[in-house]
Amino acid sequence: MAAYQRIVVLTGAGLSAESGLSTFRDADGIWARYDYRDVATPEGFARNPELVYEFYNRRRRDGMKAQPNAAHIALAKLEREYPGEVLIVTQNVDTLHEAAGSRNLIHMHGQMALSLCAACDARSPWVEDLSPDLACPSCSTTGSMRPDVVWFGEIPYELERISAALSGCDLFLSIGTSGNVYPAAGFVAAAREAGAHTVELNLEPSEGTSLFAERIEGPASRVVPAYVDRLLAAATSG
Ligand code: BV8
């Protein structure tokens, strides 16, 4: 295994599945229970804010109770011990990467642990339930806050920084994502373009599996620690 200089890791809901958090597109997933148009679009929020508050309040409560699993912990160890740069770009809106110790991290679809105020644009740490009668901590406007997450039709965060990282990386790992949602699903093509080695670590082949140079199938809590150990061994064996 080569020693890589700059590693970009894309993570999705499958990484948090073994921490007890539902994925979206598995048979028992979130989209089997909710229509994404009602709970993950600005139009849905405008139509029925109470439903959207409850959707995220339930997931935020579950997220607060969840613990990082061996895969989150292995990725934090990789960032700490690997001699090269390690950047995690997560589609997940939970805080399990932070809880495992990851620091070089981009939440491209935002975070449930932050509220966003439509009146003053302030983002505030938010761990309780959100509701229409709560006031923004910055401007005191009531009823103006939403979860700071990126909905369908909204532009994901930090795309410039992500694009720069992809064009400079020599290893791209995609973990626990079905490759259905863009622009994230297009990152593997950008990494290949940059000449990076591309590896998919997933429970089953994703939509974009044919785009990856290497595929490792299995639950993240098993395959991610094993892969991280191989990377660290190769880097220290010189
Ligand atoms: C944008 C909110 C413009 C936060 C989410 C037609 C064609 C192509 C694209 C489009 C189109 N029409 C519209 C679009 C664009 C659209 C899109 O891609 N739609 C798709 C569905 C067709 N995208 C957007 O609207 C994005 N914005 O495009 O803006 C733009 C863009 C760039 C520049 C300028 C303008 C916004 C997308 C963000 C939407 N927000 N959620 C939240 O509530 O969480 S999407 C939602 O899906 C989550 O964010 C989630 O992270 C994301 C991806 O899902 P996954 O993480 O992959 O989860 P999934 O369940 O699908 O898969 C889990 C995988 O894990 C599976 O493969 C499973 O096998 C595996 N797994 C399960 N258990 C394990 C496991 N693996 C390992 N171990 C296990 N134990």
Side-chain angles (χ1 to χ4, degrees), residues 13 18 24-25 56 59 91 109 150 153-154 177-178 182 202 220:
E18 291 164 272
F24 289 88
R25 294 168 186 84
Y56 284 99
R59 286 177 60 202
Q91 299 172 91
H109 290 167
V150 176
E154 297 185 321
T177 179
S178 64
Y182 289 82
N202 211 53

Side-chain angles (χ1 to χ4, degrees), residues 39-220:
V39 293
T41 64
E43 297 77 14
F45 183 58
R47 207 170 34 244
N48 185 348
E50 276 67 34
L51 174 66
V52 177
Y53 281 127
E54 185 36 43
F55 174 66
Y56 284 99
N57 289 343
R58 187 192 307 264
R59 286 177 60 202
R60 188 185 300 103
R61 287 195 292 268
D62 293 346
M64 293 293 168
K65 286 192 297 243
Q67 293 300 319
N69 62 55
H72 296 102
I73 291 163
L75 290 173
K77 179 181 172 191
L78 183 67
E79 178 185 332
R80 250 192 336 272
E81 298 180 7
Y82 197 73
E85 155 108 4
V86 177
L87 170 67
I88 295 179
V89 180
T90 188
Q91 299 172 91
N92 298 339
V93 294
D94 61 48
T95 51
L96 295 179
H97 278 303
E98 293 88 338
S102 288
R103 291 290 166 269
N104 199 18
L105 171 67
I106 296 176
H107 277 279
M108 67 177 291
H109 290 167
Q111 304 178 61
M112 295 185 288
L114 291 176
S115 68
L116 171 60
C117 174
C120 72
D121 223 22
R123 286 172 172 77
S124 313
W126 206 272
V127 291
E128 302 89 29
D129 285 1
L130 263 179
S131 74
D133 48 23
L134 290 172
C136 167
S138 290
C139 71
S140 307
T141 310
T142 50
S144 60
M145 289 192 290
R146 61 176 267 190
D148 183 25
V149 297
V150 176
W151 286 327
F152 286 100
E154 297 185 321
I155 301 178
Y157 291 143
E158 303 217 54
L159 289 178
E160 308 266 305
R161 187 172 152 212
I162 296 168
S163 166
L166 289 169
S167 53
C169 77
D170 49 9
L171 178 62
F172 176 77
L173 309 180
S174 178
I175 305 173
T177 179
S178 64
N180 274 289
V181 176
Y182 289 82
F187 290 171
V188 56
R192 285 177 69 111
E193 195 64 31
H197 180 51
T198 52
V199 186
E200 174 175 83
L201 297 98
N202 211 53
L203 193 61
E204 61 201 9
S206 74
E207 284 293 305
T209 196
S210 59
L211 295 169
F212 288 86
E214 187 182 354
R215 277 171 292 288
I216 299 173
E217 266 184 47

